[in-house]
Amino acid sequence: MEIIELLPTLHMLSFPVGSAYLWSDDDALTLVDSGAAGCADDIAGAVRELGRDPGDIRQIVLTHFHEDHTGGAAALRAMTGAAVLAHRLEAPVVSGAVAGPPPVLRDWEVPIRASVPALPPAPPVTVDRELEDGDTLDFGGGAEVVWTPGHTDGSIAVHLPGPGVLFTGDTAANVGRTMPGVFHTDPDRALASYRRLAALDAGVVCFGHGDPLLSGGCEALRAALAPEAHG
């Protein structure tokens, strides 16, 4: 795992598959996504390396149920007592009550999916707070939950209007280029959600997969929708 400072208050935790993000307020830490199963000790070590205690993690915000985003949550919740937050529609899958639906792969996505290494299943974890679109979370000066259905039914993004930061989950990606994400349960709905994120105002955009954008982030999301971006 690599620790990358994006802002004095924001660090990217980069894993072999995907990323999580650690936001630092003076009195608490917030983790956005939690890596795959087995990542909890690495995340705790990263927190110590940054001069904080793992017990400072007060909440773990899950953007969706996929194993590369939720795998570390159960161990971290047990280790730190942090509350786990996920959208209401995602909570039954995260908690293990039901299985999550598979993606609807477009033809060009099939070889990409085949190249992604298999990850262990995410251990189920209790969701302490079920989120809805428009909810406000107590970090970063007030973080707004943005419901982004399409990648999964209960996918969310998290927007921090004050510092101008957006966590997209897998609705968007920046692997080689900025673009809508892949492997959606409903590609049309996911594109509509991507358009909603592109309309926001955030300079720093953090993706579940790919390099963050540290300036002009939402402008880059909008530019990726232009016809010339695909031609």
Side-chain angles (χ1 to χ4, degrees), residues 56-93:
D56 291 342
I57 301 176
R58 303 293 169 79
Q59 54 191 352
I60 303 167
V61 183
L62 302 177
T63 60
H64 61 288
F65 73 78
H66 288 156
E67 61 269 23
D68 53 327
H69 295 258
T70 62
L76 285 165
R77 183 177 184 271
M79 181 189 305
T80 67
V84 172
L85 288 65
H87 191 274
R88 171 181 53 83
L89 297 177
E90 219 73 348
V93 185

mmCIF file of all heavy atoms in Angstrom, residues 56-93:
data_model
loop_
_atom_site.group_PDB
_atom_site.id
_atom_site.type_symbol
_atom_site.label_atom_id
_atom_site.label_comp_id
_atom_site.label_asym_id
_atom_site.label_seq_id
_atom_site.Cartn_x
_atom_site.Cartn_y
_atom_site.Cartn_z
ATOM 1 N N ASP A 56 -8.636 7.142 16.163
ATOM 2 C CA ASP A 56 -9.160 8.430 15.719
ATOM 3 C C ASP A 56 -10.109 8.283 14.537
ATOM 4 O O ASP A 56 -10.811 9.250 14.179
ATOM 5 C CB ASP A 56 -8.021 9.364 15.319
ATOM 6 C CG ASP A 56 -7.178 9.827 16.495
ATOM 7 O OD1 ASP A 56 -7.652 9.722 17.642
ATOM 8 O OD2 ASP A 56 -6.044 10.282 16.263
ATOM 9 N N ILE A 57 -10.115 7.103 13.879
ATOM 10 C CA ILE A 57 -11.056 6.882 12.785
ATOM 11 C C ILE A 57 -12.447 6.754 13.388
ATOM 12 O O ILE A 57 -12.762 5.776 14.055
ATOM 13 C CB ILE A 57 -10.710 5.624 11.969
ATOM 14 C CG1 ILE A 57 -9.304 5.724 11.380
ATOM 15 C CG2 ILE A 57 -11.731 5.418 10.846
ATOM 16 C CD1 ILE A 57 -8.858 4.468 10.651
ATOM 17 N N ARG A 58 -13.295 7.734 13.144
ATOM 18 C CA ARG A 58 -14.626 7.753 13.746
ATOM 19 C C ARG A 58 -15.701 7.210 12.817
ATOM 20 O O ARG A 58 -16.747 6.751 13.279
ATOM 21 C CB ARG A 58 -14.990 9.182 14.173
ATOM 22 C CG ARG A 58 -14.005 9.795 15.136
ATOM 23 C CD ARG A 58 -14.006 9.106 16.495
ATOM 24 N NE ARG A 58 -12.892 9.552 17.299
ATOM 25 C CZ ARG A 58 -12.861 10.698 17.972
ATOM 26 N NH1 ARG A 58 -13.910 11.520 17.924
ATOM 27 N NH2 ARG A 58 -11.801 11.039 18.687
ATOM 28 N N GLN A 59 -15.442 7.274 11.495
ATOM 29 C CA GLN A 59 -16.447 6.781 10.562
ATOM 30 C C GLN A 59 -15.772 6.272 9.289
ATOM 31 O O GLN A 59 -14.729 6.779 8.868
ATOM 32 C CB GLN A 59 -17.478 7.861 10.239
ATOM 33 C CG GLN A 59 -16.919 9.163 9.744
ATOM 34 C CD GLN A 59 -17.972 10.264 9.689
ATOM 35 O OE1 GLN A 59 -19.156 10.028 9.874
ATOM 36 N NE2 GLN A 59 -17.542 11.486 9.424
ATOM 37 N N ILE A 60 -16.381 5.242 8.726
ATOM 38 C CA ILE A 60 -15.940 4.641 7.469
ATOM 39 C C ILE A 60 -17.107 4.771 6.506
ATOM 40 O O ILE A 60 -18.161 4.159 6.706
ATOM 41 C CB ILE A 60 -15.550 3.168 7.659
ATOM 42 C CG1 ILE A 60 -14.459 3.029 8.731
ATOM 43 C CG2 ILE A 60 -15.097 2.549 6.337
ATOM 44 C CD1 ILE A 60 -14.249 1.596 9.202
ATOM 45 N N VAL A 61 -16.937 5.595 5.488
ATOM 46 C CA VAL A 61 -17.999 5.849 4.516
ATOM 47 C C VAL A 61 -17.745 4.953 3.302
ATOM 48 O O VAL A 61 -16.699 5.064 2.654
ATOM 49 C CB VAL A 61 -18.026 7.331 4.088
ATOM 50 C CG1 VAL A 61 -19.187 7.582 3.133
ATOM 51 C CG2 VAL A 61 -18.120 8.235 5.316
ATOM 52 N N LEU A 62 -18.692 4.072 3.009
ATOM 53 C CA LEU A 62 -18.543 3.128 1.902
ATOM 54 C C LEU A 62 -19.313 3.641 0.692
ATOM 55 O O LEU A 62 -20.525 3.869 0.779
ATOM 56 C CB LEU A 62 -19.044 1.749 2.311
ATOM 57 C CG LEU A 62 -18.338 1.137 3.539
ATOM 58 C CD1 LEU A 62 -18.982 -0.200 3.902
ATOM 59 C CD2 LEU A 62 -16.842 0.967 3.282
ATOM 60 N N THR A 63 -18.624 3.798 -0.430
ATOM 61 C CA THR A 63 -19.289 4.319 -1.619
ATOM 62 C C THR A 63 -20.169 3.275 -2.285
ATOM 63 O O THR A 63 -21.134 3.629 -2.969
ATOM 64 C CB THR A 63 -18.277 4.846 -2.648
ATOM 65 O OG1 THR A 63 -17.401 3.781 -3.061
ATOM 66 C CG2 THR A 63 -17.457 5.992 -2.057
ATOM 67 N N HIS A 64 -19.855 1.975 -2.110
ATOM 68 C CA HIS A 64 -20.702 0.895 -2.635
ATOM 69 C C HIS A 64 -20.167 -0.428 -2.116
ATOM 70 O O HIS A 64 -19.134 -0.472 -1.442
ATOM 71 C CB HIS A 64 -20.771 0.912 -4.165
ATOM 72 C CG HIS A 64 -19.463 0.727 -4.869
ATOM 73 N ND1 HIS A 64 -18.489 1.693 -4.890
ATOM 74 C CD2 HIS A 64 -18.964 -0.316 -5.589
ATOM 75 C CE1 HIS A 64 -17.448 1.265 -5.577
ATOM 76 N NE2 HIS A 64 -17.700 0.044 -6.016
ATOM 77 N N PHE A 65 -20.863 -1.521 -2.446
ATOM 78 C CA PHE A 65 -20.610 -2.790 -1.754
ATOM 79 C C PHE A 65 -19.461 -3.612 -2.306
ATOM 80 O O PHE A 65 -19.086 -4.626 -1.697
ATOM 81 C CB PHE A 65 -21.881 -3.656 -1.749
ATOM 82 C CG PHE A 65 -22.242 -4.269 -3.080
ATOM 83 C CD1 PHE A 65 -21.579 -5.391 -3.551
ATOM 84 C CD2 PHE A 65 -23.263 -3.733 -3.860
ATOM 85 C CE1 PHE A 65 -21.921 -5.972 -4.774
ATOM 86 C CE2 PHE A 65 -23.612 -4.304 -5.080
ATOM 87 C CZ PHE A 65 -22.934 -5.431 -5.539
ATOM 88 N N HIS A 66 -18.864 -3.270 -3.409
ATOM 89 C CA HIS A 66 -17.856 -4.136 -4.031
ATOM 90 C C HIS A 66 -16.680 -4.396 -3.096
ATOM 91 O O HIS A 66 -16.298 -3.527 -2.301
ATOM 92 C CB HIS A 66 -17.383 -3.548 -5.353
ATOM 93 C CG HIS A 66 -18.424 -3.636 -6.435
ATOM 94 N ND1 HIS A 66 -18.447 -2.793 -7.519
ATOM 95 C CD2 HIS A 66 -19.486 -4.474 -6.586
ATOM 96 C CE1 HIS A 66 -19.468 -3.115 -8.304
ATOM 97 N NE2 HIS A 66 -20.115 -4.128 -7.752
ATOM 98 N N GLU A 67 -16.098 -5.598 -3.241
ATOM 99 C CA GLU A 67 -15.137 -6.091 -2.253
ATOM 100 C C GLU A 67 -13.864 -5.256 -2.162
ATOM 101 O O GLU A 67 -13.216 -5.225 -1.115
ATOM 102 C CB GLU A 67 -14.785 -7.555 -2.542
ATOM 103 C CG GLU A 67 -14.128 -7.810 -3.891
ATOM 104 C CD GLU A 67 -15.136 -8.116 -4.982
ATOM 105 O OE1 GLU A 67 -16.317 -7.731 -4.870
ATOM 106 O OE2 GLU A 67 -14.715 -8.754 -5.964
ATOM 107 N N ASP A 68 -13.497 -4.544 -3.219
ATOM 108 C CA ASP A 68 -12.308 -3.703 -3.155
ATOM 109 C C ASP A 68 -12.571 -2.392 -2.424
ATOM 110 O O ASP A 68 -11.633 -1.622 -2.188
ATOM 111 C CB ASP A 68 -11.734 -3.442 -4.554
ATOM 112 C CG ASP A 68 -12.760 -2.901 -5.535
ATOM 113 O OD1 ASP A 68 -13.938 -3.277 -5.430
ATOM 114 O OD2 ASP A 68 -12.387 -2.110 -6.426
ATOM 115 N N HIS A 69 -13.806 -2.142 -2.050
ATOM 116 C CA HIS A 69 -14.167 -0.935 -1.316
ATOM 117 C C HIS A 69 -14.599 -1.231 0.123
ATOM 118 O O HIS A 69 -14.476 -0.365 0.986
ATOM 119 C CB HIS A 69 -15.288 -0.190 -2.041
ATOM 120 C CG HIS A 69 -14.863 0.325 -3.388
ATOM 121 N ND1 HIS A 69 -14.538 1.646 -3.608
ATOM 122 C CD2 HIS A 69 -14.694 -0.313 -4.572
ATOM 123 C CE1 HIS A 69 -14.183 1.797 -4.889
ATOM 124 N NE2 HIS A 69 -14.278 0.624 -5.487
ATOM 125 N N THR A 70 -15.114 -2.420 0.370
ATOM 126 C CA THR A 70 -15.684 -2.736 1.688
ATOM 127 C C THR A 70 -14.909 -3.803 2.451
ATOM 128 O O THR A 70 -15.222 -4.065 3.607
ATOM 129 C CB THR A 70 -17.138 -3.214 1.540
ATOM 130 O OG1 THR A 70 -17.163 -4.421 0.765
ATOM 131 C CG2 THR A 70 -17.992 -2.167 0.840
ATOM 132 N N GLY A 71 -13.891 -4.404 1.820
ATOM 133 C CA GLY A 71 -13.258 -5.572 2.428
ATOM 134 C C GLY A 71 -12.614 -5.336 3.771
ATOM 135 O O GLY A 71 -12.585 -6.222 4.623
ATOM 136 N N GLY A 72 -12.072 -4.136 3.995
ATOM 137 C CA GLY A 72 -11.409 -3.863 5.265
ATOM 138 C C GLY A 72 -12.315 -3.321 6.345
ATOM 139 O O GLY A 72 -11.884 -3.152 7.493
ATOM 140 N N ALA A 73 -13.577 -3.070 6.030
ATOM 141 C CA ALA A 73 -14.448 -2.345 6.965
ATOM 142 C C ALA A 73 -14.723 -3.119 8.244
ATOM 143 O O ALA A 73 -14.713 -2.545 9.338
ATOM 144 C CB ALA A 73 -15.758 -1.970 6.275
ATOM 145 N N ALA A 74 -14.990 -4.417 8.144
ATOM 146 C CA ALA A 74 -15.336 -5.194 9.344
ATOM 147 C C ALA A 74 -14.179 -5.206 10.336
ATOM 148 O O ALA A 74 -14.376 -4.970 11.542
ATOM 149 C CB ALA A 74 -15.732 -6.613 8.952
ATOM 150 N N ALA A 75 -12.967 -5.456 9.837
ATOM 151 C CA ALA A 75 -11.815 -5.494 10.731
ATOM 152 C C ALA A 75 -11.527 -4.120 11.313
ATOM 153 O O ALA A 75 -11.184 -3.998 12.500
ATOM 154 C CB ALA A 75 -10.592 -6.027 9.986
ATOM 155 N N LEU A 76 -11.675 -3.084 10.524
ATOM 156 C CA LEU A 76 -11.426 -1.736 11.038
ATOM 157 C C LEU A 76 -12.477 -1.324 12.055
ATOM 158 O O LEU A 76 -12.154 -0.663 13.056
ATOM 159 C CB LEU A 76 -11.395 -0.740 9.876
ATOM 160 C CG LEU A 76 -10.130 -0.769 9.023
ATOM 161 C CD1 LEU A 76 -10.348 -0.019 7.721
ATOM 162 C CD2 LEU A 76 -8.942 -0.178 9.781
ATOM 163 N N ARG A 77 -13.726 -1.700 11.819
ATOM 164 C CA ARG A 77 -14.772 -1.378 12.788
ATOM 165 C C ARG A 77 -14.482 -2.060 14.122
ATOM 166 O O ARG A 77 -14.627 -1.450 15.193
ATOM 167 C CB ARG A 77 -16.134 -1.809 12.255
ATOM 168 C CG ARG A 77 -17.328 -1.463 13.152
ATOM 169 C CD ARG A 77 -18.622 -1.893 12.465
ATOM 170 N NE ARG A 77 -19.803 -1.510 13.208
ATOM 171 C CZ ARG A 77 -20.387 -2.265 14.155
ATOM 172 N NH1 ARG A 77 -19.870 -3.443 14.463
ATOM 173 N NH2 ARG A 77 -21.473 -1.842 14.775
ATOM 174 N N ALA A 78 -14.040 -3.325 14.061
ATOM 175 C CA ALA A 78 -13.714 -4.050 15.290
ATOM 176 C C ALA A 78 -12.486 -3.456 15.981
ATOM 177 O O ALA A 78 -12.413 -3.411 17.211
ATOM 178 C CB ALA A 78 -13.468 -5.522 14.959
ATOM 179 N N MET A 79 -11.545 -2.981 15.190
ATOM 180 C CA MET A 79 -10.287 -2.461 15.719
ATOM 181 C C MET A 79 -10.446 -1.080 16.338
ATOM 182 O O MET A 79 -9.820 -0.765 17.358
ATOM 183 C CB MET A 79 -9.257 -2.407 14.575
ATOM 184 C CG MET A 79 -7.890 -1.906 14.930
ATOM 185 S SD MET A 79 -6.867 -1.641 13.423
ATOM 186 C CE MET A 79 -6.951 -3.236 12.636
ATOM 187 N N THR A 80 -11.292 -0.237 15.727
ATOM 188 C CA THR A 80 -11.336 1.177 16.096
ATOM 189 C C THR A 80 -12.648 1.624 16.711
ATOM 190 O O THR A 80 -12.707 2.701 17.311
ATOM 191 C CB THR A 80 -11.098 2.054 14.843
ATOM 192 O OG1 THR A 80 -12.218 1.905 13.947
ATOM 193 C CG2 THR A 80 -9.813 1.645 14.130
ATOM 194 N N GLY A 81 -13.706 0.839 16.531
ATOM 195 C CA GLY A 81 -15.023 1.267 16.967
ATOM 196 C C GLY A 81 -15.663 2.268 16.036
ATOM 197 O O GLY A 81 -16.712 2.850 16.364
ATOM 198 N N ALA A 82 -15.085 2.471 14.853
ATOM 199 C CA ALA A 82 -15.629 3.435 13.898
ATOM 200 C C ALA A 82 -17.013 3.009 13.433
ATOM 201 O O ALA A 82 -17.300 1.818 13.281
ATOM 202 C CB ALA A 82 -14.693 3.568 12.701
ATOM 203 N N ALA A 83 -17.871 3.980 13.190
ATOM 204 C CA ALA A 83 -19.178 3.719 12.604
ATOM 205 C C ALA A 83 -19.020 3.489 11.110
ATOM 206 O O ALA A 83 -18.220 4.149 10.448
ATOM 207 C CB ALA A 83 -20.112 4.895 12.855
ATOM 208 N N VAL A 84 -19.796 2.549 10.574
ATOM 209 C CA VAL A 84 -19.804 2.264 9.140
ATOM 210 C C VAL A 84 -21.046 2.887 8.531
ATOM 211 O O VAL A 84 -22.165 2.672 9.015
ATOM 212 C CB VAL A 84 -19.768 0.746 8.875
ATOM 213 C CG1 VAL A 84 -19.964 0.438 7.399
ATOM 214 C CG2 VAL A 84 -18.450 0.161 9.367
ATOM 215 N N LEU A 85 -20.851 3.653 7.453
ATOM 216 C CA LEU A 85 -21.933 4.363 6.787
ATOM 217 C C LEU A 85 -22.023 3.896 5.339
ATOM 218 O O LEU A 85 -21.003 3.763 4.658
ATOM 219 C CB LEU A 85 -21.689 5.874 6.809
ATOM 220 C CG LEU A 85 -21.843 6.636 8.133
ATOM 221 C CD1 LEU A 85 -20.823 6.216 9.175
ATOM 222 C CD2 LEU A 85 -21.711 8.138 7.873
ATOM 223 N N ALA A 86 -23.245 3.637 4.878
ATOM 224 C CA ALA A 86 -23.483 3.251 3.491
ATOM 225 C C ALA A 86 -24.907 3.650 3.132
ATOM 226 O O ALA A 86 -25.755 3.834 4.005
ATOM 227 C CB ALA A 86 -23.276 1.753 3.281
ATOM 228 N N HIS A 87 -25.166 3.743 1.829
ATOM 229 C CA HIS A 87 -26.516 4.079 1.392
ATOM 230 C C HIS A 87 -27.507 3.014 1.833
ATOM 231 O O HIS A 87 -27.172 1.832 1.953
ATOM 232 C CB HIS A 87 -26.548 4.228 -0.135
ATOM 233 C CG HIS A 87 -27.823 4.817 -0.649
ATOM 234 N ND1 HIS A 87 -28.927 4.038 -0.927
ATOM 235 C CD2 HIS A 87 -28.180 6.101 -0.924
ATOM 236 C CE1 HIS A 87 -29.907 4.826 -1.353
ATOM 237 N NE2 HIS A 87 -29.486 6.079 -1.366
ATOM 238 N N ARG A 88 -28.732 3.426 2.049
ATOM 239 C CA ARG A 88 -29.790 2.516 2.491
ATOM 240 C C ARG A 88 -29.927 1.298 1.583
ATOM 241 O O ARG A 88 -30.138 0.180 2.059
ATOM 242 C CB ARG A 88 -31.110 3.295 2.547
ATOM 243 C CG ARG A 88 -32.349 2.436 2.777
ATOM 244 C CD ARG A 88 -33.602 3.291 2.789
ATOM 245 N NE ARG A 88 -33.731 4.132 1.611
ATOM 246 C CZ ARG A 88 -34.227 3.713 0.446
ATOM 247 N NH1 ARG A 88 -34.632 2.457 0.290
ATOM 248 N NH2 ARG A 88 -34.334 4.552 -0.579
ATOM 249 N N LEU A 89 -29.810 1.488 0.278
ATOM 250 C CA LEU A 89 -29.967 0.377 -0.655
ATOM 251 C C LEU A 89 -28.759 -0.548 -0.670
ATOM 252 O O LEU A 89 -28.859 -1.691 -1.104
ATOM 253 C CB LEU A 89 -30.211 0.914 -2.071
ATOM 254 C CG LEU A 89 -31.496 1.720 -2.267
ATOM 255 C CD1 LEU A 89 -31.570 2.247 -3.690
ATOM 256 C CD2 LEU A 89 -32.721 0.868 -1.944
ATOM 257 N N GLU A 90 -27.642 -0.052 -0.206
ATOM 258 C CA GLU A 90 -26.414 -0.852 -0.186
ATOM 259 C C GLU A 90 -26.254 -1.623 1.121
ATOM 260 O O GLU A 90 -25.551 -2.646 1.179
ATOM 261 C CB GLU A 90 -25.215 0.077 -0.385
ATOM 262 C CG GLU A 90 -24.125 -0.470 -1.250
ATOM 263 C CD GLU A 90 -24.475 -0.510 -2.727
ATOM 264 O OE1 GLU A 90 -25.651 -0.316 -3.111
ATOM 265 O OE2 GLU A 90 -23.562 -0.756 -3.521
ATOM 266 N N ALA A 91 -26.896 -1.148 2.176
ATOM 267 C CA ALA A 91 -26.697 -1.716 3.503
ATOM 268 C C ALA A 91 -26.974 -3.217 3.585
ATOM 269 O O ALA A 91 -26.211 -3.954 4.219
ATOM 270 C CB ALA A 91 -27.534 -0.956 4.527
ATOM 271 N N PRO A 92 -28.052 -3.748 2.975
ATOM 272 C CA PRO A 92 -28.286 -5.196 3.082
ATOM 273 C C PRO A 92 -27.180 -6.039 2.461
ATOM 274 O O PRO A 92 -26.907 -7.157 2.925
ATOM 275 C CB PRO A 92 -29.613 -5.389 2.336
ATOM 276 C CG PRO A 92 -30.277 -4.054 2.365
ATOM 277 C CD PRO A 92 -29.161 -3.060 2.278
ATOM 278 N N VAL A 93 -26.539 -5.515 1.422
ATOM 279 C CA VAL A 93 -25.436 -6.262 0.803
ATOM 280 C C VAL A 93 -24.189 -6.156 1.673
ATOM 281 O O VAL A 93 -23.509 -7.163 1.935
ATOM 282 C CB VAL A 93 -25.146 -5.738 -0.618
ATOM 283 C CG1 VAL A 93 -24.098 -6.608 -1.292
ATOM 284 C CG2 VAL A 93 -26.416 -5.694 -1.450
#
